[in-house]
Amino acid sequence: MDERKQAPAYEDCLDYTPTALSVSLARRRAAKLVAAWGHPELAGDAALLVSELATNALLHGCLRDRLFRVRITLGAAALRIEVTDPRGETVPWPRTVTPDEQFGRGLLLVAALADSWGTELRTVGKTVYAELAIEVASGRKASGVVGISHLGAT
């Protein structure tokens, strides 16, 4: 069964105002939650992914007075980070940048760091997600989903 169809072990969802301060708040929250959920080794990567996706939402997907949402779920096989914004007509894609450009590398970082990432269009807006595979005790990445009951956010 697809992990996204099962209830995650942990889930956190919070709406943020479209300001630069919200990006740093979301980044710190993600790192703390992931560590508290038992995966401190993923906390830095999760923080970076939230930061890049939330910054893209702020710069390219937000409308005045419309919130953006950060949702983080931890399942048996993956940590999933989703950022939803109100503008579905602006779909992100990695672009080629020159060495002297200051911006434009965020999705390149997401693509390099995440095991998978993509965009899901919604009736209003879009969700951009990134997933990090969970390492099992043997050091191999999890290949399947085991039954986990919903424990709620910490």
Side-chain angles (χ1 to χ4, degrees), residues 111-145:
L113 186 59
D115 292 295
S116 67
W117 77 278
T119 303
E120 297 170 347
L121 295 178
R122 303 183 126 1
T123 303
V124 174
K126 68 180 171 305
T127 297
V128 182
Y129 67 88
E131 293 183 347
L132 295 170
I134 301 298
E135 300 284 332
V136 293
S138 67
R140 296 185 330 241
K141 291 188 177 183
S143 60
V145 177

Side-chain angles (χ1 to χ4, degrees), residues 34-119:
V34 171
W37 292 347
H39 290 281
E41 75 283 1
L42 296 178
D45 291 349
L48 178 59
L49 290 169
V50 166
S51 183
E52 294 301 332
L53 296 179
T55 298
N56 278 353
L58 180 65
L59 295 175
H60 308 294
C62 285
L63 299 169
R64 185 181 174 131
D65 299 328
R66 296 286 304 272
L67 304 176
F68 70 93
R69 174 171 290 167
V70 177
R71 180 175 180 256
I72 305 169
T73 57
L74 176 65
L79 175 73
R80 183 176 170 101
I81 296 162
E82 301 175 352
V83 177
T84 302
D85 66 57
R87 293 191 59 199
E89 74 277 8
T90 59
V91 178
W93 72 93
R95 63 184 189 93
T96 304
V97 295
T98 62
D100 60 334
E101 286 183 90
Q102 184 177 359
F103 300 103
R105 293 172 180 81
L107 287 178
L108 295 172
L109 289 171
V110 170
L113 186 59
D115 292 295
S116 67
W117 77 278
T119 303

